[in-house]
Amino acid sequence: MTIAMAAATTTPTSRALALAITETRLILRNKTVAVSSVLLPVALGVFWSFQFESGGDPARQAVSITLQLAVAMTMGLYLTATQTLVTRRHTRVLKRMRTSGLSDRGLLAATLAPSVVLALFQLAVFAVVNVVTGTPLPSDPLPLVLAVFGGLTLVVAAALATSVVTPSPERAQITTLPLMFVMLGVGVVAAIAPADGWWPALMVVPGAAVGDLTQLALTGGAWTAGAAGLPAILPPLAALVVWPAVFGTFAARRFRWDPRH
Protein backbone atom coordinates (compact mmCIF):
# COMPACT_ATOMS: atom_id res chain seq x y z
CA MET A 1 0.00 0.00 0.00
CA THR A 2 1.25 3.49 -0.76
CA ILE A 3 0.25 6.80 0.73
CA ALA A 4 -1.61 7.54 -2.48
CA MET A 5 -3.72 4.45 -1.93
CA ALA A 6 -4.54 5.68 1.57
CA ALA A 7 -6.34 8.61 -0.01
CA ALA A 8 -8.44 6.37 -2.19
CA THR A 9 -10.54 4.90 0.59
CA THR A 10 -14.06 6.17 1.02
CA THR A 11 -14.57 7.60 4.52
CA PRO A 12 -12.41 9.95 6.61
CA THR A 13 -11.99 7.25 9.27
CA SER A 14 -10.89 4.61 6.79
CA ARG A 15 -8.57 7.09 5.12
CA ALA A 16 -6.99 7.99 8.42
CA LEU A 17 -6.59 4.31 9.33
CA ALA A 18 -5.09 3.48 5.94
CA LEU A 19 -2.66 6.38 6.26
CA ALA A 20 -1.64 5.28 9.77
CA ILE A 21 -1.02 1.72 8.55
CA THR A 22 1.04 3.05 5.66
CA GLU A 23 3.12 5.22 7.97
CA THR A 24 3.75 2.22 10.23
CA ARG A 25 5.07 0.20 7.32
CA LEU A 26 7.27 3.04 6.16
CA ILE A 27 8.77 3.42 9.64
CA LEU A 28 9.50 -0.29 9.99
CA ARG A 29 10.99 -0.52 6.49
CA ASN A 30 13.43 2.33 7.17
CA LYS A 31 16.45 0.59 8.69
CA THR A 32 17.87 3.78 10.20
CA VAL A 33 14.60 4.64 11.91
CA ALA A 34 14.05 1.03 12.98
CA VAL A 35 17.41 0.98 14.76
CA SER A 36 17.44 4.52 16.22
CA SER A 37 13.77 4.70 17.20
CA VAL A 38 12.86 1.07 17.91
CA LEU A 39 15.79 -1.18 18.79
CA LEU A 40 18.10 1.31 20.52
CA PRO A 41 15.48 2.72 22.93
CA VAL A 42 14.36 -0.79 23.89
CA ALA A 43 17.96 -1.90 24.45
CA LEU A 44 18.69 1.15 26.62
CA GLY A 45 15.50 0.73 28.63
CA VAL A 46 16.22 -2.94 29.33
CA PHE A 47 19.83 -2.11 30.26
CA TRP A 48 18.71 0.56 32.72
CA SER A 49 16.24 -1.83 34.30
CA PHE A 50 19.11 -4.15 35.25
CA GLN A 51 21.62 -1.35 35.91
CA PHE A 52 19.37 0.37 38.45
CA GLU A 53 18.04 -2.66 40.29
CA SER A 54 16.59 -0.97 43.30
CA GLY A 55 16.79 -3.45 46.11
CA GLY A 56 13.64 -1.74 47.38
CA ASP A 57 15.05 1.81 47.11
CA PRO A 58 12.37 4.09 45.59
CA ALA A 59 15.02 6.59 44.42
CA ARG A 60 16.76 4.01 42.23
CA GLN A 61 13.42 2.78 40.97
CA ALA A 62 12.45 6.33 40.03
CA VAL A 63 15.68 6.88 38.09
CA SER A 64 15.29 3.64 36.14
CA ILE A 65 11.65 4.22 35.25
CA THR A 66 12.23 7.89 34.41
CA LEU A 67 15.03 6.98 32.01
CA GLN A 68 12.78 4.40 30.37
CA LEU A 69 9.96 6.91 29.99
CA ALA A 70 12.33 9.56 28.64
CA VAL A 71 13.99 7.31 26.06
CA ALA A 72 10.66 5.98 24.77
CA MET A 73 9.20 9.47 24.57
CA THR A 74 12.23 11.15 22.99
CA MET A 75 13.84 8.53 20.76
CA GLY A 76 10.77 6.38 20.21
CA LEU A 77 8.24 9.17 19.66
CA TYR A 78 9.71 12.69 19.48
CA LEU A 79 12.53 11.92 17.04
CA THR A 80 10.41 9.59 14.90
CA ALA A 81 7.46 11.98 14.76
CA THR A 82 9.65 14.95 13.85
CA GLN A 83 11.45 13.02 11.11
CA THR A 84 8.15 11.74 9.74
CA LEU A 85 6.56 15.17 9.59
CA VAL A 86 9.60 16.80 7.97
CA THR A 87 10.04 13.96 5.48
CA ARG A 88 6.40 13.99 4.40
CA ARG A 89 6.50 17.77 4.07
CA HIS A 90 9.80 17.66 2.16
CA THR A 91 8.37 15.18 -0.37
CA ARG A 92 5.12 17.20 -0.60
CA VAL A 93 3.10 14.23 0.66
CA LEU A 94 1.46 16.29 3.42
CA LYS A 95 0.33 18.92 0.95
CA ARG A 96 -1.09 16.33 -1.46
CA MET A 97 -2.87 14.50 1.35
CA ARG A 98 -4.74 17.70 2.27
CA THR A 99 -6.89 17.00 -0.82
CA SER A 100 -7.80 13.51 0.40
CA GLY A 101 -10.84 14.60 2.40
CA LEU A 102 -9.08 14.40 5.78
CA SER A 103 -9.08 17.46 7.97
CA ASP A 104 -5.70 18.97 8.79
CA ARG A 105 -5.93 17.64 12.34
CA GLY A 106 -7.01 14.22 11.12
CA LEU A 107 -4.12 14.12 8.66
CA LEU A 108 -1.56 15.03 11.32
CA ALA A 109 -3.08 12.60 13.82
CA ALA A 110 -2.94 9.73 11.32
CA THR A 111 0.63 10.63 10.40
CA LEU A 112 1.79 10.68 14.03
CA ALA A 113 -0.30 7.78 15.37
CA PRO A 114 2.27 5.06 14.49
CA SER A 115 4.98 6.91 16.42
CA VAL A 116 2.70 7.11 19.47
CA VAL A 117 1.89 3.39 19.23
CA LEU A 118 5.61 2.66 18.91
CA ALA A 119 6.34 4.54 22.14
CA LEU A 120 3.50 2.78 23.96
CA PHE A 121 4.85 -0.59 22.76
CA GLN A 122 8.27 0.27 24.15
CA LEU A 123 6.75 1.28 27.49
CA ALA A 124 4.86 -2.02 27.59
CA VAL A 125 8.13 -3.89 27.02
CA PHE A 126 9.78 -1.94 29.83
CA ALA A 127 6.87 -2.71 32.16
CA VAL A 128 7.27 -6.44 31.51
CA VAL A 129 11.04 -6.28 32.03
CA ASN A 130 10.58 -4.35 35.29
CA VAL A 131 8.21 -7.01 36.58
CA VAL A 132 10.66 -9.76 35.63
CA THR A 133 13.54 -7.96 37.39
CA GLY A 134 11.45 -7.60 40.53
CA THR A 135 10.80 -3.86 40.46
CA PRO A 136 8.03 -3.19 43.02
CA LEU A 137 4.79 -1.63 41.86
CA PRO A 138 4.30 2.12 42.44
CA SER A 139 2.80 3.11 45.78
CA ASP A 140 0.47 5.50 43.93
CA PRO A 141 -0.06 4.60 40.23
CA LEU A 142 -1.93 7.82 39.36
CA PRO A 143 1.15 10.08 39.08
CA LEU A 144 2.86 7.50 36.86
CA VAL A 145 -0.17 7.32 34.56
CA LEU A 146 -0.21 11.11 34.37
CA ALA A 147 3.54 11.12 33.65
CA VAL A 148 3.06 8.72 30.74
CA PHE A 149 0.17 10.43 29.03
CA GLY A 150 1.30 13.94 29.89
CA GLY A 151 4.79 13.17 28.62
CA LEU A 152 3.45 11.69 25.37
CA THR A 153 1.34 14.80 24.83
CA LEU A 154 4.38 16.98 25.51
CA VAL A 155 6.63 15.31 22.95
CA VAL A 156 3.92 15.14 20.27
CA ALA A 157 3.40 18.90 20.61
CA ALA A 158 7.18 19.36 20.64
CA ALA A 159 7.52 17.31 17.44
CA LEU A 160 5.01 19.54 15.68
CA ALA A 161 6.86 22.63 16.89
CA THR A 162 10.31 21.25 16.02
CA SER A 163 9.19 20.36 12.50
CA VAL A 164 8.57 24.07 11.94
CA VAL A 165 12.27 24.90 12.44
CA THR A 166 13.65 21.77 10.74
CA PRO A 167 14.42 22.44 7.07
CA SER A 168 15.14 18.87 5.95
CA PRO A 169 14.76 15.27 7.18
CA GLU A 170 18.52 15.02 7.78
CA ARG A 171 18.49 18.06 10.06
CA ALA A 172 15.87 16.43 12.31
CA GLN A 173 18.67 14.43 13.90
CA ILE A 174 20.15 17.75 15.05
CA THR A 175 17.12 19.89 15.87
CA THR A 176 15.69 17.20 18.15
CA LEU A 177 18.88 16.77 20.21
CA PRO A 178 18.41 19.68 22.66
CA LEU A 179 15.04 18.52 23.98
CA MET A 180 16.15 14.88 24.02
CA PHE A 181 19.16 15.68 26.21
CA VAL A 182 17.13 18.02 28.40
CA MET A 183 14.39 15.46 29.03
CA LEU A 184 16.85 12.69 29.83
CA GLY A 185 18.97 14.86 32.12
CA VAL A 186 16.42 16.95 33.97
CA GLY A 187 14.02 14.00 34.25
CA VAL A 188 16.59 12.03 36.24
CA VAL A 189 17.44 15.04 38.43
CA ALA A 190 13.76 15.61 39.16
CA ALA A 191 13.32 11.94 39.98
CA ILE A 192 15.84 12.12 42.83
CA ALA A 193 15.42 15.75 43.93
CA PRO A 194 13.75 16.50 47.29
CA ALA A 195 10.35 18.15 47.30
CA ASP A 196 11.52 21.14 49.34
CA GLY A 197 14.03 23.91 48.73
CA TRP A 198 14.50 25.31 45.22
CA TRP A 199 14.10 21.96 43.45
CA PRO A 200 10.44 22.53 42.46
CA ALA A 201 11.74 25.31 40.19
CA LEU A 202 12.92 22.53 37.87
CA MET A 203 9.33 22.25 36.68
CA VAL A 204 9.96 25.21 34.37
CA VAL A 205 12.14 22.89 32.26
CA PRO A 206 10.30 20.63 29.79
CA GLY A 207 10.38 17.01 30.87
CA ALA A 208 11.18 17.58 34.54
CA ALA A 209 7.55 16.88 35.42
CA VAL A 210 7.88 13.31 34.13
CA GLY A 211 10.68 12.57 36.59
CA ASP A 212 8.91 14.32 39.46
CA LEU A 213 5.66 12.45 38.91
CA THR A 214 7.56 9.17 38.69
CA GLN A 215 9.18 9.89 42.04
CA LEU A 216 5.81 10.72 43.58
CA ALA A 217 4.32 7.51 42.19
CA LEU A 218 7.01 5.40 43.81
CA THR A 219 7.22 7.23 47.13
CA GLY A 220 3.49 7.84 47.52
CA GLY A 221 4.00 11.50 48.39
CA ALA A 222 1.79 13.01 45.69
CA TRP A 223 -0.68 14.55 48.12
CA THR A 224 1.73 15.70 50.83
CA ALA A 225 2.35 19.44 51.25
CA GLY A 226 5.02 20.76 48.90
CA ALA A 227 5.92 24.24 47.67
CA ALA A 228 3.72 26.97 49.19
CA GLY A 229 1.85 24.26 51.09
CA LEU A 230 0.23 22.93 47.91
CA PRO A 231 0.02 19.19 47.17
CA ALA A 232 3.32 18.03 45.68
CA ILE A 233 1.58 16.74 42.56
CA LEU A 234 0.32 20.16 41.44
CA PRO A 235 3.58 21.77 40.09
CA PRO A 236 4.42 18.87 37.74
CA LEU A 237 0.79 18.67 36.61
CA ALA A 238 0.82 22.37 35.79
CA ALA A 239 4.06 21.91 33.84
CA LEU A 240 2.53 19.06 31.82
CA VAL A 241 -0.30 21.38 30.84
CA VAL A 242 1.74 24.50 30.13
CA TRP A 243 4.53 23.05 28.01
CA PRO A 244 2.32 21.16 25.53
CA ALA A 245 0.22 24.33 25.26
CA VAL A 246 3.33 26.40 24.49
CA PHE A 247 4.62 23.98 21.85
CA GLY A 248 1.14 23.46 20.42
CA THR A 249 0.46 27.18 20.12
CA PHE A 250 3.77 27.74 18.34
CA ALA A 251 3.08 24.86 15.95
CA ALA A 252 -0.48 26.02 15.23
CA ARG A 253 0.74 29.49 14.29
CA ARG A 254 3.85 28.53 12.34
CA PHE A 255 3.27 25.03 10.93
CA ARG A 256 4.19 24.78 7.26
CA TRP A 257 2.78 22.36 4.68
CA ASP A 258 5.21 23.29 1.90
CA PRO A 259 8.88 22.23 1.83
CA ARG A 260 11.39 24.61 3.40
CA HIS A 261 14.28 25.77 1.26
Side-chain angles (χ1 to χ4, degrees):
M1 179 185 289
T2 65
I3 292 183
M5 292 175 63
T9 50
T10 55
T11 68
T13 300
S14 59
R15 289 170 187 159
L17 180 60
L19 177 58
I21 293 173
T22 300
E23 290 292 349
T24 303
R25 292 177 177 175
L26 291 174
I27 289 174
L28 296 178
R29 287 175 183 173
N30 187 317
K31 294 181 180 179
T32 302
V33 174
V35 171
S36 63
S37 299
V38 182
L39 297 180
L40 184 57
V42 170
L44 287 172
V46 172
F47 169 75
W48 286 325
S49 183
F50 288 95
Q51 180 70 20
F52 292 95
E53 285 186 283
S54 65
D57 181 6
R60 290 183 66 86
Q61 296 170 24
V63 170
S64 175
I65 295 175
T66 297
L67 285 169
Q68 291 172 339
L69 292 176
V71 77
M73 291 173 183
T74 56
M75 298 182 69
L77 175 52
Y78 174 53
L79 174 59
T80 307
T82 303
Q83 286 182 320
T84 298
L85 286 170
V86 176
T87 301
R88 303 299 174 260
R89 183 187 68 202
H90 197 69
T91 56
R92 300 184 184 276
V93 170
L94 279 181
K95 189 171 183 179
R96 290 198 300 269
M97 287 299 296
R98 295 184 80 187
T99 65
S100 66
L102 286 172
S103 66
D104 289 349
R105 290 185 179 182
L107 172 56
L108 292 175
T111 302
L112 297 178
S115 301
V116 176
V117 172
L118 172 63
L120 290 172
F121 168 76
Q122 292 171 348
L123 293 177
V125 171
F126 298 153
V128 172
V129 172
N130 289 342
V131 171
V132 171
T133 57
T135 300
L137 294 176
S139 300
D140 184 357
L142 177 61
L144 186 59
V145 172
L146 294 173
V148 170
F149 289 101
L152 292 176
T153 303
L154 167 65
V155 293
V156 167
L160 289 165
T162 305
S163 71
V164 174
V165 298
T166 306
S168 66
E170 295 77 15
R171 292 293 294 276
Q173 296 280 353
I174 299 174
T175 56
T176 56
L177 284 177
L179 184 61
M180 290 175 62
F181 285 135
V182 166
M183 285 194 65
L184 284 167
V186 79
V188 172
V189 173
I192 60 177
D196 53 0
W198 63 270
W199 295 103
L202 282 175
M203 294 306 105
V204 302
V205 182
V210 173
D212 196 27
L213 286 171
T214 302
Q215 181 194 56
L216 294 175
L218 294 169
T219 61
W223 307 107
T224 59
L230 298 173
I233 196 173
L234 289 185
L237 279 184
L240 283 181
V241 172
V242 170
W243 274 112
V246 170
F247 286 129
T249 300
F250 176 80
R253 293 179 177 178
R254 302 289 300 276
F255 190 81
R256 299 178 62 169
W257 299 91
D258 294 304
R260 291 192 57 186
H261 299 290

